[in-house]
Amino acid sequence: MNHVMQRDGLTLLELMVVLIILAIVATVAMRSLEPQINSQRIQSASQLLEQIRDATLGEPNKYQLDGTPLTSGFVADVGCLPVAPVDQRLDNRNNFEFVLAELWDPESSLATSFPFQFRPGPQSPVDYSAVRIPCGWRGPYMRLSPGANGLVDPWGQKPLLIPDGEGQVGMVKIEVPESAELPNPERMSIDLSGGKVDVTATILLDDADQSNVVGALLAPDPETSLTTLAAIADEDSDRATMLFRNVPIGFRAIVVDVGQQRQVKYLQVSQLGANLVFDFRSPRPQ
């Protein structure tokens, strides 16, 4: 009687051939999908930068009922840009925890020490304590991805923070890694310098030469005071005009004293700046 031997499974050589073929197919498939993956990552990086900008400077194209711009976001509430962390200078690319943490971390020192509430102006050298503005941290202004413990880009790196002259974040960049499709990629970036603008005021006076004019713009500034507003001084030497530089966007107040008269005007300072008119002229006889 003849017996027929049947094989169960593959030999080791056949299994290796199958694995090699699968690896080649997978490599070809990944290479064909790489342009799409890179495109999606670049799109996600652009969206991340937009989220950082909106969280910091507020969403664009928002207006009040009277048509004036409505400012919101971190700068509007706090009065400054996020602080560039010290470890940024050390190029610690693996430390994601503190990158722009002031925008999302309710346990940050700023969030716990500077909560949102009404704050008065300073009492000296000029008493502005009767003027009050709501300000302070009321985030989170942006949220991290589920499971993330810090802010990272689509390539798993933390965004590069470029400090301004005051140690605050003036620009955020994302480095796109080199690839076959992008041998010389450009850095993607957003500019946050629009968070500070110049504000002007015109003072209408009976006699500009002899009038004693004192003015200040009140805004929050946690760097100088956690309990009272900061008074930004007028830098224009002309008594009939005022200039306030580097004013953080948001809800602010300008106080002008001419002799014993005082006028207070509240305004929304947008990224376009602002200009107000104060009329101290005496009423003309009928």
Side-chain angles (χ1 to χ4, degrees):
M1 178 179 295
N2 295 327
H3 296 279
V4 179
M5 300 295 293
Q6 295 183 349
R7 294 189 306 168
D8 295 326
L10 301 174
T11 64
L12 179 60
L13 178 61
E14 291 171 333
L15 182 59
M16 291 179 63
V17 172
V18 171
L19 292 176
I20 292 173
I21 294 174
L22 290 176
I24 294 174
V25 172
T27 301
V28 172
M30 288 298 295
R31 288 182 177 178
S32 64
L33 292 175
E34 188 172 348
Q36 299 180 12
I37 295 175
N38 282 336
S39 177
Q40 292 178 353
R41 284 177 172 172
I42 291 175
Q43 183 178 1
S44 297
S46 178
Q47 292 174 349
L48 176 59
L49 290 175
E50 290 178 359
Q51 291 174 4
I52 295 174
R53 180 193 59 206
D54 292 348
T56 306
L57 305 181
E59 297 182 16
N61 302 322
K62 298 185 72 174
Y63 300 91
Q64 301 183 97
L65 295 178
D66 61 358
T68 57
L70 177 62
T71 53
S72 60
F74 180 86
V75 176
D77 290 345
V78 176
C80 66
L81 292 164
V83 176
V86 176
D87 74 306
Q88 180 74 27
R89 305 172 188 173
L90 303 179
D91 196 25
N92 185 355
R93 303 293 291 180
N94 295 320
N95 187 356
F96 308 113
E97 183 178 356
F98 300 108
V99 177
L100 296 174
E102 291 178 327
L103 295 178
W104 51 265
D105 185 6
E107 301 300 325
S108 67
S109 59
L110 178 63
T112 56
S113 62
F114 197 63
F116 190 81
Q117 63 188 45
F118 276 88
R119 287 180 171 80
Q123 294 183 341
S124 62
V126 180
D127 188 0
Y128 298 121
S129 59
V131 181
R132 301 171 65 86
I133 292 178
C135 59
W137 200 92
R138 56 173 173 176
Y141 300 92
M142 65 183 300
R143 300 186 182 277
L144 302 180
S145 302
N149 62 352
L151 193 63
V152 296
D153 64 27
W155 293 274
Q157 299 290 332
K158 67 180 182 180
L160 181 63
L161 309 182
I162 308 300
D164 60 13
E166 299 178 358
Q168 300 172 7
V169 180
M171 181 176 293
V172 181
K173 294 184 178 181
I174 290 181
E175 298 176 337
V176 180
E178 294 185 6
S179 64
E181 291 75 23
L182 296 171
N184 297 305
E186 296 182 0
R187 284 181 174 177
M188 308 174 65
S189 64
I190 53 169
D191 186 357
L192 302 180
S193 61
K196 297 179 180 179
V197 298
D198 292 346
V199 174
T200 57
T202 302
I203 317 299
L204 302 180
L205 304 165
D206 289 326
D207 189 342
D209 293 332
Q210 298 188 14
S211 299
N212 183 22
V213 181
V214 178
L217 187 147
L218 302 185
D221 186 358
E223 292 296 315
T224 59
S225 175
L226 295 177
T227 57
T228 61
L229 302 171
I232 301 176
D234 170 29
E235 296 188 23
D236 195 328
S237 59
D238 190 339
R239 296 183 180 183
T241 57
M242 290 188 173
L243 172 62
F244 306 99
R245 296 187 184 276
N246 295 322
V247 177
I249 59 174
F251 186 65
R252 310 295 176 235
I254 296 180
V255 184
V256 178
D257 294 322
V258 177
Q260 300 299 317
Q261 300 181 65
R262 166 170 288 189
Q263 291 185 18
V264 180
K265 290 192 176 183
Y266 297 90
L267 70 158
Q268 285 278 358
V269 178
S270 71
Q271 295 183 49
L272 300 177
N275 177 63
L276 293 183
V277 176
F278 291 81
D279 192 349
F280 284 89
R281 293 174 299 183
S282 301
R284 294 183 179 180
Q286 299 293 331

